[in-house]
Amino acid sequence: MSVLFIMLPAALVIVALAVVAFVLAARTGQYDDLDTPSHRMLAEDDSDATGAQ
Amino acid sequence: MISLAPLTAPRDAAAPLLKSAVDAWPEDSGTCAHCGLAVPVARSTNDSPQFCCSGCETAYTVIHACGLDRFYQLLASGEATPTPAKASRRAYAEFDDPTFRSLYSRPVPNGLESIQLILEGVHCSACVWLVEKLPRVLTGVVEARLDIRRGIVEVVYAPSEVSLSRVGRTLDSLGYPAHPARSTSARDARRSADRVMMIRMAVAGACAGNIMLLFIALYAGMFQGMDAGHALLLRWAAAILNTICLAWPGAVFARGAIAALRTRTIQLDVPIAMGLYLGGAWGVWKTIAATWTSSVSGASDIYFDSISALVFFLLIGRFLQQRQQRSAADALEMLFSLTPGVARRVSATKGDASPGDVQDVPTEALVVGDVVEVRAGDSAPADGEVVSGNSSVDLSLLTGESRPVSIGPGASVAAGCVNLESTIRIRVHATGEATRIGKLLRVVEEAAQRRAAIVRIADKWGAWLLWALLALAAITLIIWWHAGPARAIDHAVALLIATCPCGLGLATPLAMTVSIGRAARRGILVKGGDALQSLATPRAGTVVLDKTGTITQGRLSLVEWIGDADAQPLAAALEAHSSHPTARAICNGLGAESTRLSRSVCDVSQVMGAGIQGAVSDRRVMIGTERFLSDRGITLPEPIAQAAAIARARGHSTTYVGVDGRCVAVATMGDPIRPDARSAIARIRERGWRVVILSGDHPEIVTAVGESVGVEPSMCYASATPEFKREVVEELLKRGLVVMVGDGVNDAAALATATVGIAVRGGAEASLAAADISMTAEGLAPLVELFDGARRTLRTIHWTIATSLAYNVLAASLSMAGLISPLLAAIIMPASSLTVVGVCLSSWAFQTSQRGVRA
């Protein structure tokens, strides 16, 4: 029996896992804001101190 | 780390009182260190850095004190037009109320809390950087994340270390006044609808991509020969993925088609669903048949890859469309948070509290007749009349100007205005929806709902397309019936799939997105595609222009000085101490001499609306209206009175100057018309629009302005109240489209009622939210650009529709001739989509080559 009969279903299962991960990410709001990250990227941070003076 | 004291009373009258952020006069010395606009003469000093307004000064100080000077580098390297910092001088005391906290602040792990605030004035990546540096400015704040499109910042803070009012004041001092973001159920519903749409699109993409991979193998098998077992496996995998694709993301079209058929209308969904589901079902049938008979030849006659790719592309179009409609709805959200949620009611003799006690109640609980106390730094919760207390208020929410207006007992205040000096008590006249701002919100909301019902362009073609496709499919069946039913059905199904209007579903949203994106880079923010569509075709439409600020430059300037020239330095020195528009006009018109004598001015007193007097170099100078001077014993000499009368007939206003008891001069002032106004109006007319001027100013002035820009007096409406403006717009709507251009909140109701409302940035927040399009550049030339861009966008849309129809015709001919195969279909369909994308990207609308972003 050719390997394909195992590989193809396995690949499809992996795709299904990827889709599930995406759906979870979208449902928790990680894709809500698509515009600000492109702005945020433009400034490199030299020091990243949160809550510091 | 700096500590911010609560906002104090304004400085004394001897110091310049320029608080308005829109007071940038170009004919002056120096540029503001914060926003880069010019510093007015009266505020200019010899030491640097200089500022155009106290908002910029505060922002600069805070930024500098926290070591955040990088902000200015980021600002310079970005593309945004600089604007003065808006500071609203509120104390944000209501943020500390327990009810406020329970309403808006949510707990998050680690004992922290999180709150969402809508910020005014966010417009570029430098703002994102600055706002997200809030933890560095204020201890106790752990994180700040800004959503630039909606202007909402989510602040995570430790309640024990920092109070919400300090958070509000800090953001305000940086130049971003904050309002609580009320999370309504409508907003939550929209947000989950957005997420669902994105998930659908992504799943369709995953299915389409994987099916394409499977089909590459199948196509290779067609040429080289493939083992039957493998071919079957691949076909079954594709069939399963396709069924998933049609059942989950693709179900949108099925639902749309069923809903349309139920109401007996035909939309684009019907032919799309027909093609997709018939094709899918037939393909599955053939796969089952091939399994039974175990005879299969490559990928003949199944079209799963085209079908799933179709679903993917069409969902992309829907996603883009939905995103455009979002920004319109989001802007409206801001309006709801402009009035405070908590009010301090003075209890009368009812209830268990003794009379005179002040209780905190939610604003919704106020009724007409209640007496409410408004402290300094708070906003008024309702419309009302002042019962006790003298103070001044900032009406920038309603008028866009932040010049303080004095009020005393008997004066009326509107909900949303900020009380500046001292506590006042007002008796409520109108609450909630009955307040001026409440009524405005209602108008804007109704207008938004009305607009959502406009039919998309492509939907009109739905019925036509459906019948055409059914007819063609029937013809194909008939032609090929002699070769066997299976073969005939094959060709007919192939026809339905290959002619599926993918390009149509993608064309309009894509073209709109490209145009809107380009327009945004040029300072024109369009909130919805339908606004662009309306602008493209006049069809006997009317453009209604506001006078002040749009046709004219929006400020008084000195036209003529008739009289004794020696009095000029004296007048200028005295007027440098006033913030009245007349004073500024005189100072700027007379130039640098004003600073020479400013040291020797003393004993200055102003009477609001009448004049100013003081001693300059030991001479008594008074400047003001005729009444102001005559009350102090000065009469006007004949030549000056005549000159003044001539000036008034021309539409200018007059101010008299008296020195040492004699009137020596009269200064005439006018609002200069923009140099490009006349040609811009002519160009607007050329494109087929009628032009009307609508203004609250006096009739003579409006007709004089109209004449100089080429608008007949019959098309000029003057002395217009906000209600009158709205009525005029409604009247004009009966004759065709109405495009309204304005910037104050007295324009906002008219802006919402018009077909397309255009607001200029720097105006009232309420009108920016009510308008469909907001522009950062001033004047009329950007308006002409906007019309041209809209027309070119429409032309691009027509081109893309024509292109995709051409591909459909090609595919239909091939199918009817029996020449089509899955491979061909798989090539034609993406080719048509790519061509559509190419046409959109090479569109001529809003090219950036002509001018830079900075006006």
Side-chain angles (χ1 to χ4, degrees):
Chain A
M1 191 168 86
S2 143
V3 170
L4 195 59
F5 286 92
I6 302 176
M7 287 307 304
L8 196 55
L12 288 181
V13 165
I14 292 178
V15 168
L17 287 177
V19 168
V20 165
F22 177 82
V23 170
L24 285 178
R27 287 226 177 110
T28 52
Q30 294 182 30
Y31 286 99
D32 279 351
D33 183 5
L34 296 175
D35 304 295
T36 317
S38 60
H39 290 268
R40 219 175 267 138
M41 248 179 9
L42 290 179
E44 304 163 13
D45 262 359
D46 25 23
S47 69
D48 196 2
T50 55
Q53 317 260 350
Chain B
M1 220 278 287
I2 62 167
S3 67
L4 292 167
L7 297 160
T8 54
R11 296 162 280 179
D12 68 335
L17 277 175
L18 288 166
K19 291 182 185 153
S20 169
V22 296
D23 293 338
W25 310 94
E27 61 266 277
D28 298 322
S29 51
T31 52
C32 177
H34 180 74
C35 64
L37 296 174
V39 174
V41 168
R43 265 193 85 98
S44 68
T45 55
N46 281 329
D47 28 86
S48 63
Q50 307 184 48
F51 305 101
C52 66
C53 58
S54 65
C56 283
E57 186 171 359
T58 319
Y60 184 88
T61 317
V62 175
I63 290 173
H64 205 62
C66 301
L68 295 172
D69 299 287
R70 217 138 158 250
F71 176 68
Y72 297 107
Q73 292 168 14
L74 290 171
L75 203 56
S77 61
E79 286 182 337
T81 344
T83 46
K86 294 183 177 225
S88 73
R89 293 169 291 184
R90 282 168 55 197
Y92 292 94
E94 73 266 15
F95 277 30
D96 288 330
D97 280 326
T99 14
F100 186 92
R101 251 183 83 177
S102 60
L103 272 179
Y104 299 117
S105 185
R106 319 170 275 127
V108 290
N110 294 339
L112 304 169
E113 288 193 13
S114 151
I115 185 172
Q116 289 192 336
L117 298 170
I118 301 182
L119 299 181
E120 295 176 41
V122 172
H123 57 275
C124 61
S125 15
C127 299
V128 173
W129 184 85
L130 186 61
V131 170
E132 295 192 344
K133 286 277 178 285
L134 195 65
R136 260 223 270 179
V137 178
L138 204 53
T139 39
V141 172
V142 172
E143 197 194 1
R145 278 185 90 79
L146 179 65
D147 179 336
I148 196 176
R149 202 160 43 94
R150 290 152 59 210
I152 295 186
V153 63
E154 171 141 8
V155 178
V156 177
Y157 66 103
S160 52
E161 290 183 46
V162 68
S163 67
L164 278 176
S165 60
R166 283 194 73 190
V167 173
R169 285 199 299 269
T170 314
L171 286 168
D172 195 302
S173 70
L174 286 173
Y176 308 109
H179 308 272
R182 294 179 197 190
S183 126
T184 58
S185 54
R187 192 139 68 87
D188 288 340
R190 276 203 301 271
R191 199 176 46 194
S192 53
D194 277 349
R195 288 177 185 167
V196 164
M197 191 46 124
M198 176 173 287
I199 290 175
R200 278 197 200 127
M201 189 179 70
V203 170
C207 290
N210 284 295
I211 292 180
M212 279 190 229
L213 287 175
L214 293 170
F215 266 69
I216 290 178
L218 281 172
Y219 291 145
M222 250 167 55
F223 295 119
Q224 296 174 353
M226 186 187 269
D227 179 48
H230 288 157
L232 255 187
L233 173 70
L234 291 169
R235 291 182 118 200
W236 269 109
I240 292 172
L241 280 179
N242 190 42
T243 312
I244 294 176
C245 187
L246 282 178
W248 182 0
V252 177
F253 303 107
R255 280 197 293 267
I258 293 176
L261 288 176
R262 249 195 222 138
T263 59
R264 302 200 185 287
T265 55
I266 308 227
Q267 289 173 0
L268 209 52
D269 280 348
V270 178
I272 291 177
M274 185 175 74
L276 291 177
Y277 284 90
L278 281 181
W282 184 246
V284 172
W285 169 249
K286 297 215 68 160
T287 311
I288 296 177
T291 319
W292 276 347
T293 63
S294 293
S295 80
V296 102
S297 48
S300 64
D301 307 314
I302 55 168
Y303 292 86
F304 295 136
D305 55 344
S306 302
I307 293 174
S308 52
L310 264 171
V311 174
F312 182 44
F313 289 138
L314 286 167
L315 284 179
I316 291 180
R318 298 246 166 142
F319 177 69
L320 288 177
Q321 214 162 28
Q322 200 165 320
R323 283 237 302 181
Q324 277 165 29
Q325 286 164 356
R326 280 298 166 260
S327 24
D330 283 340
L332 287 185
E333 287 297 324
M334 222 254 281
L335 290 181
F336 287 103
S337 57
L338 294 176
T339 52
V342 177
R344 297 167 58 85
R345 180 166 64 188
V346 179
S347 53
T349 53
K350 58 182 171 185
D352 39 18
S354 40
D357 272 4
V358 174
Q359 279 178 327
D360 284 335
V361 298
T363 316
E364 289 83 20
L366 291 176
V367 293
V368 175
D370 276 347
V371 175
V372 173
E373 183 183 86
V374 183
R375 293 172 297 192
D378 285 348
S379 320
D383 285 355
E385 176 193 306
V386 179
V387 177
S388 69
N390 285 295
S391 177
S392 56
V393 291
D394 174 343
L395 293 169
S396 57
L397 189 68
L398 298 170
T399 62
E401 281 183 39
S402 40
R403 193 155 41 96
V405 175
S406 307
I407 52 167
S412 53
V413 286
C417 67
V418 181
N419 182 16
L420 297 172
E421 286 178 36
S422 50
T423 312
I424 54 171
R425 291 190 174 189
I426 61 176
R427 175 173 293 119
V428 174
H429 278 168
T431 61
E433 285 197 347
T435 59
R436 260 182 80 184
I437 201 153
K439 281 191 206 145
L440 173 65
L441 289 187
R442 274 269 306 282
V443 169
V444 169
E445 257 189 354
E446 281 165 17
Q449 278 172 3
R450 236 186 10 230
R451 244 175 266 132
I454 291 183
V455 177
R456 300 168 294 189
I457 282 187
D459 271 339
K460 291 186 286 203
W461 301 60
W464 179 92
L465 200 62
L466 175 69
W467 297 122
L469 286 185
L470 281 178
L472 286 177
I475 294 176
T476 316
L477 273 178
I478 295 172
I479 294 179
W480 286 95
W481 199 260
H482 67 272
R487 199 109 188 263
I489 298 182
D490 269 346
H491 289 308
V493 168
L495 177 98
L496 287 178
I497 295 174
T499 56
C500 210
C502 157
L504 277 183
L506 195 54
T508 315
L510 194 62
M512 286 298 180
T513 307
V514 169
S515 286
I516 291 179
R518 284 205 195 141
R521 303 246 301 277
R522 307 192 63 175
I524 303 174
L525 303 173
V526 180
K527 286 188 207 158
D530 48 333
L532 274 187
Q533 278 179 29
S534 307
L535 286 177
T537 47
R539 271 183 286 138
T542 320
V543 173
V544 178
L545 297 175
D546 187 29
K547 175 185 77 71
T548 315
T550 312
I551 301 182
T552 65
Q553 297 193 4
R555 54 183 197 255
L556 279 184
S557 74
L558 190 62
V559 175
E560 259 191 292
W561 177 278
I562 303 165
D564 195 356
D566 291 336
Q568 283 179 2
L570 300 172
L574 182 60
E575 292 284 28
H577 293 264
S578 166
S579 60
H580 199 266
T582 315
R584 287 196 296 259
I586 291 183
C587 277
N588 291 323
L590 296 178
E593 302 143 62
S594 61
T595 50
R596 245 194 321 125
L597 287 176
S598 54
R599 276 173 285 120
S600 47
V601 178
C602 54
D603 207 18
V604 176
S605 71
Q606 278 195 70
V607 177
M608 269 302 188
I612 183 175
Q613 64 180 10
V616 182
S617 305
D618 296 327
R619 306 178 66 180
R620 285 219 65 83
V621 181
M622 42 189 92
I623 308 175
T625 60
E626 187 175 347
R627 179 83 190 274
F628 185 75
L629 264 60
S630 65
D631 279 351
R632 282 150 187 75
I634 302 182
T635 51
L636 304 181
E638 195 49 38
I640 290 191
Q642 273 180 5
I646 296 176
R648 270 201 301 277
R650 259 191 266 138
H652 296 144
S653 55
T654 52
T655 302
Y656 302 95
V657 180
V659 176
D660 288 337
R662 270 184 335 116
C663 173
V664 299
V666 60
T668 62
M669 279 160 292
D671 191 355
I673 298 174
R674 290 180 191 274
D676 57 354
R678 202 194 170 97
S679 57
I681 289 186
R683 276 189 290 162
I684 292 178
R685 278 235 184 79
E686 273 168 35
R687 280 155 184 72
W689 299 92
R690 265 197 322 234
V691 178
V692 164
I693 299 181
L694 187 57
S695 169
D697 217 335
H698 298 298
E700 311 95 45
I701 299 186
V702 178
T703 19
V705 169
E707 267 178 45
S708 33
V709 293
V711 177
E712 310 90 58
S714 59
M715 310 275 252
C716 298
Y717 296 84
S719 306
T721 58
E723 289 74 29
F724 181 68
K725 287 189 181 184
R726 193 182 151 195
E727 279 166 25
V728 169
V729 170
E730 278 173 352
E731 187 59 41
L732 289 171
L733 271 176
K734 294 183 192 153
R735 294 188 229 160
L737 299 176
V738 176
V739 175
M740 165 101 191
V741 182
D743 65 348
V745 108
N746 38 352
D747 293 328
L751 281 175
T753 317
T755 320
V756 179
I758 302 178
V760 180
R761 285 210 102 87
E765 280 302 319
S767 72
L768 285 175
D772 301 293
I773 300 179
S774 59
M775 310 211 289
T776 50
E778 302 178 324
L780 290 174
L783 202 61
V784 180
E785 249 185 77
L786 180 61
F787 286 147
D788 283 342
R791 224 168 25 131
R792 291 200 185 119
T793 306
L794 197 62
R795 209 179 296 155
T796 308
I797 292 179
H798 288 157
W799 269 111
T800 54
I801 292 182
T803 314
S804 49
L805 275 183
Y807 274 102
N808 280 346
V809 167
L810 174 67
S813 332
L814 286 177
S815 311
M816 288 178 69
L819 293 173
I820 197 129
S821 74
L823 187 56
L824 261 181
I827 294 176
I828 290 181
M829 218 233 339
S832 83
S833 302
L834 278 177
T835 319
V836 163
V837 170
V839 170
C840 285
L841 287 178
S842 64
S843 130
W844 278 76
F846 298 112
Q847 290 285 24
T848 46
S849 57
Q850 285 149 7
R851 72 174 183 97
V853 176
R854 175 81 198 269

